Amino acid sequence: MFQPFRTAAVLGAGVMGTQIAAHLANAGLTVYLLDLPAKENNKNQIVEKAFKAGLKHTPPILFTESTARRIILGNFDDDFHRLGQVDWVIEAVIENLAIKQQLMERIEGVIHSNAIVSTNTSGLPVSQIAKGRSQSFRSRFLGTHFFNPPRYLKLLEIIPTEDTDDRVLERIEWFGRLHLGKGIVVAKDTPSFIANRIGIYVTMLGLRGFTDRGYTIEEIDTLTGTVMGRPKSATFRTVDLVGLDILVYVAKSLYPAIPHDESREIFRVPSVLHKLIETGAIGAKAGRGFYKKENKQILSLNPETLTYEPAKPLNLPNIQAIGSFKDLGDRLRALYRDKGRIGEFFRQFTLEMLSYSARRIPEIAEGPLEIDRAMRWGFGWEFGPFEIWDALGLETVLADMKASGIQVPAWVEKMPYEGSTSFYRKERVYKPTQQYIPLEAPKDEINVAALKSDPQRTLWQNSEAALLDLGDGVVLYDFRSKGNTLSFNVVEGMFDVLDILEAGDFRGMVIGNDSKNFSAGANLAEMGTIAQQGKVEAIDKVLNKFQTLMQRIYYFPKPIVAAVQGLALGGGCELVMACPQVVAAAESYIGLVELSVGLIPGAGGITHMVARAVERAATESFSHIQPFLQRAFETIGMAKVSNSACEARELGFLSPQAKIVMNADRRLYVAKEEVIRLDREGYLPPPERNSIMVLGRPTRSILEHMAYILFQGGYISEYDRYLADRLAYVMTGGDLTAPTLVDDKYLLRLERETFIPLLGEKKTQERIAYTLKTKKPLRN
């Protein structure tokens, strides 16, 4: 068992250094962020400027504003001695070997004997950086290559040297996965390691399609984006985001470092890149690269004139039909088999990518698994290269490579003769030296897909949800509706499984799923349809059922734990708040967003927020409660969504007792353990909320005035103000003229009585229709 790091120092406050420091602070560490001393009187001017710029990043690099207090700024002159106090030193200075070596010499003279030192180099030989240092230092030294942005990209490549102690490597792997939320890939000390070596090659392939094969920028971005399971930024938008100057620097550094690479000529920088950089068109940070935004129109580069033009129509017949396939494997096969321009580009692009990836084994990795994980976690691919190969068919791709004169490595060529028809089999993956080895899942993760495939694990199901047996007396309510919305089927299913849970010999239940997002909230299409039909009684019945369900979950006699990740909005947020205990992935974005669609929370969200505002106050006096209520009003009224689970706790969406896990893959396991813990302790549901202090008409006037000020300032529309007034009415107890104790049933009735008329309002229906069509809010 390892001890977690509590203190760290990051040397170099550039873009990566600042963000690494921020993520370490997110994980709870005290972090010293140091950089060169400024020549002016304030020696910390450089680091302070860099950190201030980092705080302006979008998306934000910190979980909460207060997290910044854990980062202590300093400079190499006055504060280098602080390294003697830390557990882990991360070097992130300029990519210059001599400078890094000099810095390592200085570090060795300061750190304590157990401190670990790592470099965040993206391409220099890790072993050379520690050259000349003592054996003790080298045994505690390795590479830790974070990907930008470190908070959001899952990959952490760890590069041990021949001298790195096994226990040091294991500790960094353990801490990185558990406390930083990373997917760990151990890479070899080769140029650009794994992800960047393959990723830059694939990027250059895309560029060649533009410069040599007659495809437009938009066509290549269409073919290398979401349709093939990659981020929508695809090739050219990604280059613009990274920076053309950065890509050129990396490619020019990589080319001489790989004389043995049979495909290294592709890393020669195309002339169009040099021309763009000469004109200052280095990407998004300069406002232009391959794309340029002008008067709200996205223009793209004409390579002949280096001017920007409106996009030409795509000459990609069938692309919409192919893109409509939900299954990625089906899309890949359709792209590959296409007889026109789509297939011509995709086959050549894919065959060369797959061949190159295979030829880099065992140079950069021992087998397909490491490369696939690196590309999924570092570049956001849904399938890694060898998973793509499996989807297309091992022998199909082999035959096409040979027909195209593309080199096939011997270890792949012999696979069919060994009886191997794919790189992955159930629970196993191919490795050249050992054939198939087990895919060992971490013991603290739950594989929901495996549970779904086992009929004995399914205790109940309908078309959009299932009750799965997690073992040890714990069940999982796994809802799978579109967007994981709380559809009528999902809600009805919850009533059914609560009956099963109450009657059966179970400890308790986890509510969650293995999707990217927990829940987008109520099914707006279903609700909007009823509203347009004017069926008031039906609306009342549906809302009453939602409220009854949330109350039953909150007061259920056995523990129910929500396992949250990604978005939990509207009704999804209300479901989270109804669960007495929550396990949330750190990257959880939670909010009551109903006002953005012309409604107020109607399934208990307001009731919970009012109750929590009262609980946070020192006493039940008007003056103590009011500031917390005002903040809750602002949070709901502005449809705020938390930037993280930590901020969700600050905003009141999560209770102080909620568990937050850095690695989202662990959330279901931790939630299951919470159910077991609560059961063993002798679980009692929360006491009934029969004495919630609401503040009455005086506070309602204050909240309404807050909305009036925002309206006068042009920050909200007239209808927003009307909705805010209805929200204030519910939050302060309706028509009560003075502070009064009420129960939760009283507030729930107010929610329902206010919600139903809003659903019939024309402007609310316009907002719902617009949101369903565009996935964006309408401020009418």
Short mmCIF file of all heavy atoms in Angstrom, two decimals, residues 185 194 354 357 367-378 381-390 423-424 429:
data_model
loop_
_atom_site.label_atom_id
_atom_site.label_comp_id
_atom_site.label_asym_id
_atom_site.label_seq_id
_atom_site.Cartn_x
_atom_site.Cartn_y
_atom_site.Cartn_z
N VAL A 185 -0.70 4.64 -19.07
CA VAL A 185 -0.03 3.81 -20.07
C VAL A 185 1.48 3.94 -19.81
O VAL A 185 2.01 5.05 -19.81
CB VAL A 185 -0.35 4.25 -21.50
CG1 VAL A 185 0.51 3.50 -22.50
CG2 VAL A 185 -1.83 4.03 -21.81
N ILE A 194 4.20 7.20 -27.07
CA ILE A 194 3.21 6.43 -27.83
C ILE A 194 2.20 7.33 -28.53
O ILE A 194 2.10 7.37 -29.76
CB ILE A 194 2.47 5.42 -26.92
CG1 ILE A 194 3.45 4.40 -26.33
CG2 ILE A 194 1.38 4.70 -27.72
CD1 ILE A 194 2.82 3.44 -25.35
N LEU A 354 -3.09 2.02 -39.78
CA LEU A 354 -3.03 0.73 -39.11
C LEU A 354 -1.67 0.06 -39.30
O LEU A 354 -1.11 -0.53 -38.37
CB LEU A 354 -4.15 -0.18 -39.62
CG LEU A 354 -5.58 0.32 -39.40
CD1 LEU A 354 -6.59 -0.70 -39.90
CD2 LEU A 354 -5.84 0.64 -37.94
N SER A 357 0.90 1.85 -37.07
CA SER A 357 0.71 1.50 -35.66
C SER A 357 1.26 0.11 -35.37
O SER A 357 1.93 -0.11 -34.35
CB SER A 357 -0.79 1.55 -35.31
OG SER A 357 -1.31 2.84 -35.49
N GLY A 367 2.52 -4.05 -27.16
CA GLY A 367 1.43 -4.67 -27.89
C GLY A 367 0.33 -3.68 -28.24
O GLY A 367 0.41 -2.48 -27.93
N PRO A 368 -0.73 -4.15 -28.88
CA PRO A 368 -1.83 -3.28 -29.31
C PRO A 368 -2.53 -2.55 -28.17
O PRO A 368 -2.99 -1.42 -28.36
CB PRO A 368 -2.80 -4.26 -29.99
CG PRO A 368 -1.94 -5.39 -30.45
CD PRO A 368 -0.89 -5.53 -29.39
N LEU A 369 -2.64 -3.17 -27.00
CA LEU A 369 -3.42 -2.58 -25.91
C LEU A 369 -2.91 -1.20 -25.53
O LEU A 369 -3.69 -0.26 -25.36
CB LEU A 369 -3.41 -3.51 -24.69
CG LEU A 369 -4.21 -3.03 -23.48
CD1 LEU A 369 -5.70 -2.93 -23.83
CD2 LEU A 369 -4.00 -3.98 -22.29
N GLU A 370 -1.59 -1.07 -25.37
CA GLU A 370 -1.03 0.22 -24.96
C GLU A 370 -1.29 1.31 -25.99
O GLU A 370 -1.60 2.46 -25.65
CB GLU A 370 0.49 0.08 -24.72
CG GLU A 370 0.86 -0.78 -23.53
CD GLU A 370 0.97 -2.26 -23.86
OE1 GLU A 370 0.59 -2.66 -24.99
OE2 GLU A 370 1.43 -3.03 -23.00
N ILE A 371 -1.18 0.95 -27.27
CA ILE A 371 -1.41 1.95 -28.33
C ILE A 371 -2.88 2.34 -28.37
O ILE A 371 -3.22 3.53 -28.47
CB ILE A 371 -0.94 1.41 -29.69
CG1 ILE A 371 0.60 1.31 -29.69
CG2 ILE A 371 -1.42 2.30 -30.83
CD1 ILE A 371 1.19 0.74 -30.96
N ASP A 372 -3.78 1.37 -28.28
CA ASP A 372 -5.22 1.69 -28.30
C ASP A 372 -5.61 2.58 -27.13
O ASP A 372 -6.35 3.56 -27.29
CB ASP A 372 -6.04 0.40 -28.27
CG ASP A 372 -6.11 -0.28 -29.63
OD1 ASP A 372 -5.72 0.35 -30.63
OD2 ASP A 372 -6.56 -1.43 -29.70
N ARG A 373 -5.13 2.25 -25.95
CA ARG A 373 -5.46 3.06 -24.78
C ARG A 373 -4.89 4.47 -24.91
O ARG A 373 -5.55 5.45 -24.56
CB ARG A 373 -4.93 2.39 -23.51
CG ARG A 373 -5.76 1.19 -23.07
CD ARG A 373 -5.19 0.55 -21.83
NE ARG A 373 -6.12 -0.43 -21.26
CZ ARG A 373 -5.84 -1.24 -20.24
NH1 ARG A 373 -4.63 -1.18 -19.68
NH2 ARG A 373 -6.75 -2.08 -19.79
N ALA A 374 -3.67 4.57 -25.39
CA ALA A 374 -3.05 5.89 -25.54
C ALA A 374 -3.85 6.77 -26.48
O ALA A 374 -4.06 7.96 -26.22
CB ALA A 374 -1.61 5.74 -26.03
N MET A 375 -4.34 6.21 -27.57
CA MET A 375 -5.09 7.01 -28.54
C MET A 375 -6.49 7.33 -28.05
O MET A 375 -7.01 8.42 -28.32
CB MET A 375 -5.14 6.30 -29.90
CG MET A 375 -3.76 6.04 -30.52
SD MET A 375 -2.62 7.43 -30.41
CE MET A 375 -3.45 8.63 -31.43
N ARG A 376 -7.10 6.42 -27.33
CA ARG A 376 -8.44 6.71 -26.78
C ARG A 376 -8.35 7.75 -25.68
O ARG A 376 -9.14 8.69 -25.64
CB ARG A 376 -9.08 5.41 -26.26
CG ARG A 376 -9.64 4.52 -27.36
CD ARG A 376 -10.53 3.42 -26.80
NE ARG A 376 -9.76 2.29 -26.30
CZ ARG A 376 -9.64 1.97 -25.02
NH1 ARG A 376 -10.25 2.68 -24.09
NH2 ARG A 376 -8.94 0.92 -24.64
N TRP A 377 -7.40 7.59 -24.79
CA TRP A 377 -7.31 8.47 -23.62
C TRP A 377 -6.61 9.79 -23.92
O TRP A 377 -6.91 10.81 -23.30
CB TRP A 377 -6.59 7.75 -22.49
CG TRP A 377 -7.34 6.56 -21.95
CD1 TRP A 377 -8.66 6.28 -22.11
CD2 TRP A 377 -6.80 5.49 -21.17
NE1 TRP A 377 -8.99 5.11 -21.47
CE2 TRP A 377 -7.85 4.60 -20.87
CE3 TRP A 377 -5.53 5.19 -20.68
CZ2 TRP A 377 -7.68 3.44 -20.12
CZ3 TRP A 377 -5.34 4.03 -19.94
CH2 TRP A 377 -6.41 3.16 -19.65
N GLY A 378 -5.67 9.79 -24.87
CA GLY A 378 -4.90 11.00 -25.14
C GLY A 378 -5.46 11.84 -26.27
O GLY A 378 -5.31 13.07 -26.27
N TRP A 381 -10.13 9.29 -29.16
CA TRP A 381 -10.70 8.36 -30.14
C TRP A 381 -11.64 7.38 -29.42
O TRP A 381 -11.35 6.95 -28.30
CB TRP A 381 -9.61 7.56 -30.84
CG TRP A 381 -8.68 8.35 -31.69
CD1 TRP A 381 -8.56 9.71 -31.77
CD2 TRP A 381 -7.68 7.82 -32.58
NE1 TRP A 381 -7.58 10.05 -32.65
CE2 TRP A 381 -7.01 8.91 -33.18
CE3 TRP A 381 -7.30 6.54 -32.94
CZ2 TRP A 381 -5.99 8.75 -34.10
CZ3 TRP A 381 -6.27 6.36 -33.86
CH2 TRP A 381 -5.63 7.46 -34.44
N GLU A 382 -12.73 7.02 -30.07
CA GLU A 382 -13.60 5.99 -29.50
C GLU A 382 -12.99 4.61 -29.64
O GLU A 382 -13.10 3.77 -28.74
CB GLU A 382 -14.97 6.02 -30.18
CG GLU A 382 -15.83 7.23 -29.82
CD GLU A 382 -17.18 7.17 -30.47
OE1 GLU A 382 -17.85 6.11 -30.38
OE2 GLU A 382 -17.60 8.18 -31.08
N PHE A 383 -12.36 4.34 -30.77
CA PHE A 383 -11.64 3.09 -31.02
C PHE A 383 -10.18 3.42 -31.27
O PHE A 383 -9.86 4.36 -32.01
CB PHE A 383 -12.17 2.37 -32.26
CG PHE A 383 -13.47 1.63 -32.09
CD1 PHE A 383 -14.20 1.69 -30.91
CD2 PHE A 383 -13.98 0.86 -33.13
CE1 PHE A 383 -15.41 1.02 -30.76
CE2 PHE A 383 -15.18 0.18 -33.00
CZ PHE A 383 -15.90 0.26 -31.82
N GLY A 384 -9.28 2.64 -30.68
CA GLY A 384 -7.88 2.75 -31.02
C GLY A 384 -7.62 2.06 -32.34
O GLY A 384 -8.49 1.40 -32.92
N PRO A 385 -6.38 2.16 -32.88
CA PRO A 385 -6.08 1.58 -34.19
C PRO A 385 -6.43 0.10 -34.32
O PRO A 385 -6.99 -0.32 -35.33
CB PRO A 385 -4.57 1.81 -34.33
CG PRO A 385 -4.29 3.01 -33.49
CD PRO A 385 -5.24 2.90 -32.33
N PHE A 386 -6.10 -0.68 -33.31
CA PHE A 386 -6.32 -2.13 -33.43
C PHE A 386 -7.78 -2.50 -33.19
O PHE A 386 -8.23 -3.54 -33.69
CB PHE A 386 -5.36 -2.86 -32.50
CG PHE A 386 -3.92 -2.63 -32.85
CD1 PHE A 386 -3.19 -1.64 -32.22
CD2 PHE A 386 -3.31 -3.35 -33.87
CE1 PHE A 386 -1.87 -1.38 -32.58
CE2 PHE A 386 -2.00 -3.11 -34.25
CZ PHE A 386 -1.27 -2.11 -33.59
N GLU A 387 -8.50 -1.66 -32.48
CA GLU A 387 -9.94 -1.86 -32.36
C GLU A 387 -10.62 -1.54 -33.70
O GLU A 387 -11.59 -2.21 -34.09
CB GLU A 387 -10.49 -0.98 -31.24
CG GLU A 387 -10.03 -1.43 -29.86
CD GLU A 387 -10.24 -0.39 -28.78
OE1 GLU A 387 -9.91 0.79 -29.01
OE2 GLU A 387 -10.73 -0.76 -27.69
N ILE A 388 -10.11 -0.53 -34.41
CA ILE A 388 -10.60 -0.23 -35.75
C ILE A 388 -10.32 -1.41 -36.68
O ILE A 388 -11.19 -1.83 -37.46
CB ILE A 388 -9.95 1.05 -36.30
CG1 ILE A 388 -10.41 2.28 -35.49
CG2 ILE A 388 -10.26 1.24 -37.78
CD1 ILE A 388 -9.67 3.55 -35.84
N TRP A 389 -9.12 -1.94 -36.58
CA TRP A 389 -8.72 -3.09 -37.41
C TRP A 389 -9.67 -4.26 -37.18
O TRP A 389 -10.15 -4.88 -38.12
CB TRP A 389 -7.28 -3.48 -37.07
CG TRP A 389 -6.57 -4.29 -38.11
CD1 TRP A 389 -7.11 -5.23 -38.94
CD2 TRP A 389 -5.17 -4.23 -38.42
NE1 TRP A 389 -6.14 -5.77 -39.74
CE2 TRP A 389 -4.94 -5.17 -39.45
CE3 TRP A 389 -4.10 -3.49 -37.94
CZ2 TRP A 389 -3.67 -5.40 -40.01
CZ3 TRP A 389 -2.84 -3.71 -38.48
CH2 TRP A 389 -2.63 -4.64 -39.50
N ASP A 390 -9.98 -4.54 -35.93
CA ASP A 390 -10.92 -5.63 -35.62
C ASP A 390 -12.30 -5.36 -36.22
O ASP A 390 -12.96 -6.28 -36.73
CB ASP A 390 -11.06 -5.79 -34.10
CG ASP A 390 -9.98 -6.70 -33.51
OD1 ASP A 390 -9.16 -7.23 -34.28
OD2 ASP A 390 -9.97 -6.86 -32.27
N PHE A 423 -7.53 -8.93 -32.88
CA PHE A 423 -6.59 -8.52 -31.82
C PHE A 423 -7.21 -8.68 -30.44
O PHE A 423 -6.50 -8.88 -29.46
CB PHE A 423 -6.16 -7.07 -32.06
CG PHE A 423 -5.37 -6.88 -33.32
CD1 PHE A 423 -5.99 -6.41 -34.47
CD2 PHE A 423 -4.02 -7.21 -33.37
CE1 PHE A 423 -5.27 -6.25 -35.64
CE2 PHE A 423 -3.29 -7.05 -34.54
CZ PHE A 423 -3.93 -6.58 -35.69
N TYR A 424 -8.54 -8.55 -30.39
CA TYR A 424 -9.23 -8.69 -29.11
C TYR A 424 -10.19 -9.86 -29.17
O TYR A 424 -10.92 -10.04 -30.16
CB TYR A 424 -10.02 -7.41 -28.77
CG TYR A 424 -9.15 -6.22 -28.45
CD1 TYR A 424 -8.69 -5.38 -29.47
CD2 TYR A 424 -8.79 -5.93 -27.14
CE1 TYR A 424 -7.89 -4.28 -29.17
CE2 TYR A 424 -7.99 -4.83 -26.84
CZ TYR A 424 -7.54 -4.02 -27.87
OH TYR A 424 -6.74 -2.95 -27.57
N VAL A 429 -6.48 -9.92 -25.06
CA VAL A 429 -5.93 -9.09 -26.12
C VAL A 429 -4.66 -9.74 -26.64
O VAL A 429 -3.91 -10.38 -25.89
CB VAL A 429 -5.65 -7.66 -25.60
CG1 VAL A 429 -4.61 -7.67 -24.49
CG2 VAL A 429 -5.18 -6.76 -26.74
#
